[in-house]
Amino acid sequence: MSAHELNKPVPYTLHVDDELLDLTRKKLQLARYPEELTDIGDDNWSQGAKVKTVKRLAEYWSNGYDWRAEEARINAEFKQFKVKIDVPGYGPQIFHYAHQTSPRPNAIPLLFVQGWPGSFLEARKLIEPLTNPSDPSKQAFHLVVPSIPGFGPGDPAQESGFGPELTARGFKKIMVEVLGYDRFVTQGGDWGAMITRSMAIQYPQHVRACHHNMFPCGPPPWYRAPLTMGRLILSPYLYTNRELDSIKNLQYYQKEQDGYLKVQSTRPQSLGFGLGDSPVGLLGWLVEKFHEWMDVAHYAMPDDEVLTFVMMHWIQGATPGLRYYKMAFGEEGEAGTRKSFKKYLDTPIGLSHFPKEIAMPPNDWVSWVANVKFRREHDKGGHFAAVECPESLVQDLRDWFSSKTVEVAMRGEG
């Protein structure tokens, strides 16, 4: 642990050593690639990441991608800090965060929390429209974007068990004790949904409203909600088309896509020997997730964006981000991670439903565990809403957090 003083933020500039950049290029040039099966088409990703896609990206990473230029842009766009926090139940931990204040006097403090395999850069396209909207009648926000420990520039935890519950405690201290935001609202998908929900459970007096673009809850027990279970049994006849598509997305994910979850929540360190040493291995592991979880029919992730997202995990050797699954779900992890979406939370929430999201259940499932006051369905977008369709997410955040419900909650009356 460095000599940081508790709760005293220090300005931070992202910088990757030349030695790592040189080593990365050498490893990229020495990579071996698998062979595709001859009966698998170019658009068939059922075996995993496509060789031609990974090879093309790796060659560009080695010979064309300019990390230094990207690094400079990140440092120009994000006001970054590091701060040591005494996390209750754990002890001292250094956190990385970005803090973008708004010039608007009525700006609402908003905590944006990333997911995997993302980073704090997921908020990149949201900074300007949220903090300084061109239309003065639109709601503005003071935007706080912390890194989950071990993701991007976030210092990894040095002991086991640092999952969403402890992360939530650290983020709360950043918001309240470091930045002075006694009441604030949150946005999260993926890990961000779990962390911000844990924050609302632990600190409802501070977290006054939440917004999610992913909500990983199951149906309520049949004995508590027989009508909901009956509707599920008769779903081909009673569910809307959007609800049926959501169930199909979840079933496909559970059948074809959740292998990474099993490995990362059980033996992340073994996986880390490969992904933390091979930039091509990490590239293939993450590119498949981008392709499978994004609405690729409507958004093509630019090569530079792909590689910058991958760099956020490569700079720490990938393992800390993988290990977070073990912290949350594995035998060392917190029982509260899974249980947090099985108990009712009265904090008002808003939901944005993007059609390619892997976990956005029917309304009657969610209503058993959440006080849903806003829900909007979109016709395009996937798991990485802030990256794929930032305009839609920004509009939803403005509409929900400027509502009368949130206004009352922010006054402490809700």
Side-chain angles (χ1 to χ4, degrees):
M1 187 68 62
S2 73
H4 286 255
E5 293 184 50
L6 284 174
N7 292 359
K8 299 293 184 182
V10 176
Y12 173 80
T13 300
L14 177 63
H15 178 76
V16 176
D17 292 339
D18 287 335
E19 182 180 357
L20 177 59
L21 297 180
D22 292 340
L23 179 63
T24 302
R25 292 188 190 94
K26 292 176 182 177
K27 287 178 175 290
L28 288 166
Q29 293 163 1
L30 294 172
R32 293 195 304 169
Y33 294 89
E35 296 290 333
E36 293 275 12
L37 295 174
T38 58
D39 60 338
I40 299 295
D42 287 346
D43 296 325
N44 184 340
W45 287 63
S46 64
Q47 294 285 319
K50 300 301 292 183
V51 174
K52 67 174 184 179
T53 300
V54 174
K55 184 178 289 188
R56 176 181 60 77
L57 286 165
E59 290 173 352
Y60 176 60
W61 192 353
S62 176
N63 301 312
Y65 176 67
D66 188 345
W67 166 253
R68 288 293 179 226
E70 185 69 356
E71 188 178 65
R73 284 190 289 268
I74 292 169
N75 287 324
E77 294 169 19
F78 288 89
K79 297 177 181 177
Q80 301 171 73
F81 303 85
K82 286 200 173 185
V83 64
K84 185 195 289 187
I85 299 294
D86 187 8
V87 180
Y90 181 80
Q93 170 65 34
I94 293 177
F95 288 88
H96 166 269
Y97 69 94
H99 184 205
Q100 314 288 134
T101 57
S102 172
R104 304 291 176 83
N106 67 336
I108 297 173
L110 168 61
L111 178 75
F112 177 101
V113 184
Q114 58 168 95
W116 183 90
S119 69
F120 78 108
L121 297 182
E122 289 181 46
R124 196 171 189 177
K125 301 172 187 177
L126 309 182
I127 297 173
E128 186 64 20
L130 286 179
T131 61
N132 194 22
S134 56
D135 184 344
S137 68
K138 300 296 185 182
Q139 180 64 55
F141 301 87
H142 300 306
L143 186 62
V144 182
V145 188
S147 291
I148 297 173
F151 289 61
D155 291 40
Q158 298 300 305
E159 297 180 7
S160 61
F162 203 102
E165 188 172 346
L166 291 178
T167 305
R169 295 175 191 172
F171 287 179
K172 173 263 181 182
K173 284 205 164 190
I174 292 173
M175 293 298 287
V176 177
E177 298 180 19
V178 176
L179 300 178
Y181 295 132
D182 188 62
R183 294 173 183 161
F184 56 92
V185 299
T186 66
Q187 151 62 28
D190 197 84
W191 282 127
M194 299 181 188
I195 292 167
T196 57
R197 184 169 174 86
S198 180
M199 292 179 73
I201 291 171
Q202 296 183 73
Y203 308 107
Q205 73 275 28
H206 298 298
V207 180
R208 305 306 295 159
C210 303
H211 184 272
H212 304 294
N213 55 289
M214 171 181 163
F215 201 86
C217 77
W222 67 268
Y223 54 85
R224 290 185 57 200
L227 293 180
T228 299
M229 185 55 62
R231 189 168 177 266
L232 173 59
I233 293 170
L234 297 174
S235 58
Y237 310 99
L238 300 181
Y239 274 14
T240 65
N241 289 336
R242 174 57 69 91
E243 288 174 324
L244 290 172
D245 288 343
S246 295
I247 298 298
K248 290 178 183 176
N249 287 349
L250 180 59
Q251 290 173 337
Y252 177 71
Y253 168 81
Q254 292 172 333
K255 180 182 178 182
E256 293 285 342
Q257 296 181 340
D258 73 346
Y260 79 97
L261 178 63
K262 306 296 187 187
V263 176
Q264 292 176 194
S265 61
T266 55
R267 294 296 184 269
Q269 190 161 294
S270 296
L271 183 61
F273 283 108
L275 302 190
D277 184 63
S278 168
V280 167
L282 182 62
L283 179 62
W285 194 252
L286 301 190
V287 161
E288 184 226 333
K289 305 299 180 288
F290 298 144
H291 180 272
E292 291 292 285
W293 296 349
M294 284 188 174
D295 187 355
V296 293
H298 294 100
Y299 183 77
M301 201 175 188
D303 290 354
D304 282 356
E305 189 173 54
V306 171
L307 295 176
T308 300
F309 269 53
V310 174
M311 278 291 295
M312 288 297 100
H313 294 271
W314 176 247
I315 58 179
Q316 294 210 47
T319 304
L322 305 175
R323 188 177 280 139
Y324 198 75
Y325 283 79
K326 179 78 168 181
M327 305 291 197
F329 297 131
E331 59 193 9
E332 300 171 333
E334 306 158 315
T337 300
R338 296 187 187 276
K339 291 181 179 178
S340 65
F341 283 88
K342 295 182 179 180
K343 62 175 70 173
Y344 185 80
L345 176 63
D346 194 50
T347 302
I349 75 165
L351 299 174
S352 293
H353 187 181
F354 297 92
K356 287 285 287 183
E357 175 52 59
I358 56 179
M360 184 58 73
N363 291 336
D364 52 357
W365 295 19
V366 178
S367 63
W368 277 93
V369 292
N371 182 17
V372 181
K373 297 296 186 181
F374 173 95
R375 181 162 180 151
R376 182 171 288 162
E377 296 181 353
H378 296 274
D379 59 5
K380 61 182 179 180
H383 188 63
F384 301 90
V387 176
E388 302 173 63
C389 39
E391 299 86 358
S392 297
L393 183 59
V394 165
Q395 188 62 51
D396 288 359
L397 293 174
R398 286 175 180 162
D399 290 348
W400 165 228
F401 289 133
S402 64
S403 69
K404 187 67 175 179
T405 298
V406 177
E407 179 185 343
V408 170
M410 287 294 289
R411 292 200 302 262
E413 301 173 15

